[in-house]
Amino acid sequence: MKRHVLALDLKDDPKLIEEYLTIHKAVWPEILESIRDAGITACDMYRAGTRMIMILEVDDTFTFERKNAMDEASPIVQKWEAFMWTFQQAIPAAKPGEKWVIMDQFFSL
C-alpha cells in the first residue's frame, strides 16, 4: 500500500471552518464513490488551526493523473470542488491553480 500526504489551508474564518468541518461529517455519497473508484483505500484529514493535511492510502491502480482525469470528467466532483474552494485557500508553497499540495517525505522511522 502506498501513502501520499497532501497539505491545504482553510480560510481564517471560524464560521467557515466550523461549516467545513460539519460538511465533512456527511460527505456527498458521489464524492466518496469517486474517491474509492480512483483507488484510494483510506483517506484521513487532520487540522491544526487553518492548516490541513490529508493522508491517502492507495492501491496499485491509483495515480494522481488518473484521479485528476476522473475528477475533470465528473460534474458532481467539479461542483463539490468549487463548493469546497469557498472554505479553502492554497498554502504558500502551491503553484498557481494548485489546491492540495503533495508533500515530500524527508524522514521515516
Side-chain angles (χ1 to χ4, degrees):
M1 214 43 78
K2 280 187 173 179
R3 184 179 316 153
H4 300 283
V5 180
L6 300 92
L8 181 67
D9 282 345
L10 290 171
K11 292 179 180 173
D12 193 6
D13 179 324
K15 288 181 182 177
L16 286 178
I17 291 171
E18 188 60 35
E19 185 177 353
Y20 186 81
L21 297 176
T22 298
I23 290 165
H24 280 80
K25 291 178 183 176
V27 174
W28 302 349
E30 299 90 347
I31 300 306
L32 298 175
E33 182 180 0
S34 76
I35 291 168
R36 290 182 186 105
D37 288 350
I40 298 169
T41 59
C43 176
D44 298 302
M45 297 171 69
Y46 297 84
R47 179 181 69 90
T50 59
R51 180 64 40 93
M52 296 187 300
I53 65 163
M54 177 169 53
I55 302 170
L56 303 177
E57 290 185 6
V58 301
D59 65 23
D60 291 338
T61 67
F62 178 86
T63 66
F64 284 104
E65 296 79 15
R66 180 171 166 264
K67 174 72 170 116
N68 290 338
M70 291 171 68
D71 290 352
E72 288 175 12
S74 171
I76 194 77
V77 170
Q78 291 302 306
K79 183 178 179 180
W80 173 265
E81 289 300 329
F83 180 41
M84 291 300 100
W85 195 240
T86 63
F87 306 95
Q88 302 167 335
Q89 61 186 15
I91 65 171
K95 297 176 181 127
E98 187 176 37
K99 288 179 70 170
W100 287 97
V101 175
I102 302 168
M103 300 180 77
D104 296 323
Q105 182 178 7
F106 65 92
F107 176 80
S108 179
L109 177 66

